[in-house]
Amino acid sequence: MIDVGGRQLGETLDPEAVRHVLDGSVRTAPRPDSAALHLPDAEVREHRGLFRALLVVLDAIALALPTLWLGTPLPYVAVLLVAALAVLASFGSHRPRISLSALDEAPRHLTRLGLGLLLAAPVAHALGADLSLAVHLLWAVPCFVAGRSLGYALVRGARRRRLVGSPTLVLGGGRLGMDLLTTLDEHPEFGLRGVGFLSGGSPLDEREPLGHMEDLDLVLDTYGVRKVVVAYGPTREAELVGLVRSAAERDIEVYIVPRFFDVGLSPNGPDVEDLWGIPLHRVRRAALRRGVWRVKRVIDVAVSGVALTLLAPLMALLALAVRISSPGPILFRQPRTGHDGAEISILKFRTLRPAAPAPAAATTGSTRSTMHARQIDVEQRQTRIGNLLRRTSLDELPQLWNILRGDMSLVGPRPEERTYAAQFADSVYGYRDRHRLAVGLTGWAQVHGLRGDTSIEERARFDNSYIEHWSLWRDLVILVRTVAAVHRQAVTAARSAAR
């Protein structure tokens, strides 16, 4: 076994390759000792950008042909191409797939092309183009399928000649994992070049694993892996969760073979690939690796900046009320745990009297007792104006500055106090994983009522679910539900004060 930085890696790794990983001098795949690992001498690249460019060009030609022989004005043709290609791109239609079949994909593309034509229809009307959308779609679909078929044929040919391909690692040393490696070698048209497998148990045949499951990061770097396939085997699923998330956070495509797929229980949809009869479910890329995450940041800056400007008079009145209510500063600063465990200092309107000694449960006991002790401490030190601010969530308004600075986002897992976060990270399953994204002013757990003296385990579950399924639309849903919840709290607080 080779010891690298205190970790042991399987004997099949070339020591010279490990040295190159440590000094960062090379990223190509070395030839292992095991004959079961089929690595070509020349470096094979994915050429994903070329793949996308080819499909975009063929899609544009296929969509333009019907407009030309139908006598459509050229300005409308240009608008149609832009609208249709934008819709296709937004749905990931140009993403390099494993299994390429233009006919199988045609039903999905039909609705997307229809949406593109619908978006371009107002331009056609303004130009006076006498064009029926149904007629155009009737001609566009077969041209589109023909263009895709040509493009896929070219890509499959390049894959069979091993001119393009993705270094692929299999997680799991069971029978299915071995079958996957054999399939990758016998069917290069899928564009997956098997570099080997990792296993938590003993191999089933003469093929030796590249290492153990905990060696994933080192193997990914050593072999330049671009895709990971998770095949259930002797390794427990709980042990694979962290490994899968670690790979997904890097720019690596992760696929999972569904359990019981051979009895018809596998999922369907655009994220499911067919690898010679074996379904592969693609894990969505981590939110931080997506280009659309930059759009989220732009929205954060715009909304927080406008909100701080419009709410400045209200925040000034609240600051005066806090100053009058009790001795102490107006703003409360507290170190909390942010993205990737970094320390951030969040701002809130002070709602409590000067701090009493920390409760004993802050560092000991169960998570439930810890939260309960904290809730009691808050109730004992809360001021009257502080009670109103908490019930209406107005005490959170200064965090708009944190959002503008980039410490937080509008939507994300709520930041926890550093002391409690350290305790929960050691006692609550999945709690560390909730720090994969920037923390937020509101979150998926909060709109489900999980705030205050509620289950930390359930909060972690909701936060991780939000991260795994993140989208701008979900952020909008959370913001709308947050506004509705704050409105209800304000009405309830006003009724209570009137009594």
Side-chain angles (χ1 to χ4, degrees):
M1 303 292 283
I2 303 169
D3 185 80
V4 180
R7 300 171 58 195
Q8 288 186 331
L9 198 62
E11 294 178 354
T12 53
L13 267 182
D14 186 353
E16 184 67 12
V18 175
R19 183 184 66 79
H20 288 314
V21 170
L22 295 180
D23 64 22
S25 61
V26 67
R27 306 281 291 188
T28 57
R31 179 179 294 278
D33 296 333
S34 175
L37 304 179
H38 300 279
L39 294 177
D41 295 328
E43 182 180 5
V44 178
R45 300 182 180 274
E46 286 187 286
H47 295 291
R48 293 197 296 179
L50 183 60
F51 183 99
R52 289 191 176 98
L54 173 65
L55 293 184
V56 169
V57 170
L58 291 176
D59 289 350
I61 295 175
L63 293 174
L65 286 177
T67 63
L68 296 179
W69 66 60
L70 289 174
T72 308
L74 290 180
Y76 170 70
V77 175
V79 173
L80 169 63
L81 292 181
V82 171
L85 293 177
V87 171
L88 291 171
S90 66
F91 282 97
S93 300
H94 301 122
R95 177 181 62 84
R97 295 181 61 85
I98 295 175
S99 52
L100 303 175
S101 175
L103 289 176
D104 289 342
E105 297 174 5
R108 291 196 299 268
H109 293 318
L110 178 63
T111 57
R112 298 166 186 175
L113 293 175
L115 178 58
L117 289 171
L118 187 62
L119 292 175
V123 177
H125 179 73
L127 295 174
D130 184 15
L131 179 65
S132 170
L133 293 180
V135 173
H136 194 163
L137 190 62
L138 182 64
W139 283 102
V141 170
C143 290
F144 182 86
V145 172
R148 277 297 175 101
S149 298
L150 174 61
Y152 288 168
L154 295 175
V155 173
R156 279 194 297 268
R159 287 175 173 179
R160 288 192 181 98
R161 293 176 177 83
R162 303 187 186 275
L163 300 177
V164 296
S166 301
T168 303
L169 176 70
V170 174
L171 293 187
R175 178 57 58 192
L176 179 59
M178 300 300 99
D179 290 344
L180 280 169
L181 283 176
T182 301
T183 301
L184 297 185
D185 180 58
E186 294 178 349
H187 297 277
E189 68 270 17
F190 292 115
L192 304 181
R193 180 169 56 88
V195 301
F197 69 100
L198 298 181
S199 177
S202 301
L204 296 182
D205 54 28
E206 71 281 357
R207 286 174 285 195
E208 292 291 334
L210 298 178
H212 302 296
M213 290 296 182
E214 58 268 22
D215 300 315
L216 175 63
D217 288 335
L218 183 56
V219 171
L220 293 179
D221 291 335
T222 303
Y223 288 87
V225 173
R226 306 306 307 158
K227 288 181 171 60
V228 172
V229 179
V230 181
Y232 52 83
T235 305
R236 294 189 306 165
E237 291 183 353
E239 299 175 1
L240 289 172
V241 172
L243 299 177
V244 171
R245 286 175 174 170
S246 175
E249 286 177 2
R250 308 168 68 155
D251 195 14
I252 293 175
E253 295 281 353
V254 179
Y255 297 85
I256 298 178
V257 180
R259 289 271 191 181
F260 304 111
F261 71 89
D262 43 2
V263 292
L265 297 180
S266 61
N268 294 310
D271 288 332
V272 179
E273 303 271 9
D274 182 271
L275 184 67
W276 205 245
I278 302 175
L280 302 181
H281 188 274
R282 185 174 67 94
V283 177
R284 298 180 62 186
R285 294 178 64 196
L288 281 177
R289 302 299 305 183
R290 302 181 192 170
V292 73
W293 184 261
R294 299 184 182 90
V295 179
K296 176 180 172 71
R297 177 58 190 152
V298 171
I299 294 174
D300 285 340
V301 172
V303 173
S304 60
V306 172
L308 283 171
T309 302
L310 297 179
L311 297 176
L314 173 61
M315 295 177 68
L317 291 176
L318 294 178
L320 179 62
V322 172
R323 170 63 73 185
I324 296 174
S325 65
S326 64
I330 295 174
L331 293 179
F332 172 69
R333 299 175 182 269
Q334 187 178 59
R336 297 203 176 188
T337 301
H339 178 220
D340 279 342
E343 180 175 324
I344 62 174
S345 178
I346 69 164
L347 301 175
K348 299 177 67 173
F349 283 122
R350 182 176 57 84
T351 61
L352 306 178
R353 296 181 178 86
T363 56
T364 62
S366 65
T367 57
R368 187 67 180 176
S369 63
T370 297
M371 298 305 297
H372 183 64
R374 181 169 66 174
Q375 185 68 22
I376 293 177
D377 177 63
V378 167
E379 293 174 356
Q380 291 175 345
R381 297 192 293 121
Q382 194 166 242
T383 62
R384 292 187 62 183
I385 185 63
N387 180 46
L388 177 62
L389 292 178
R390 282 176 173 265
R391 293 175 64 181
T392 57
S393 297
L394 292 174
D395 62 321
E396 311 281 357
L397 287 180
Q399 289 173 43
L400 291 170
W401 176 250
N402 289 111
I403 297 172
L404 189 63
R405 281 167 43 96
D407 298 331
M408 299 173 56
S409 176
L410 287 170
V411 181
R414 283 293 295 161
E416 188 59 77
E417 297 177 33
R418 298 286 290 180
T419 302
Y420 295 118
Q423 177 188 351
F424 299 154
D426 295 331
S427 58
V428 178
Y429 175 76
Y431 188 84
R432 295 182 189 273
D433 293 325
R434 68 188 292 273
H435 294 132
R436 288 174 287 161
L437 292 188
V439 294
L441 182 66
T442 183
W444 191 233
Q446 282 63 45
V447 298
H448 283 85
L450 296 173
R451 53 180 299 176
D453 188 14
T454 55
S455 170
I456 298 297
E457 290 81 1
E458 292 182 357
R459 289 195 211 178
R461 184 190 311 151
F462 272 86
D463 288 337
N464 283 315
S465 174
Y466 163 78
I467 295 172
E468 303 291 356
H469 303 91
W470 177 82
S471 67
L472 288 176
W473 178 253
R474 172 159 288 195
D475 276 5
L476 178 61
V477 170
I478 292 174
L479 289 174
V480 171
R481 292 182 60 172
T482 298
V483 171
V486 170
H487 179 264
R488 288 194 300 268
Q489 291 175 359
V491 171
T492 303
R495 291 176 179 174
S496 299
R499 293 176 183 173

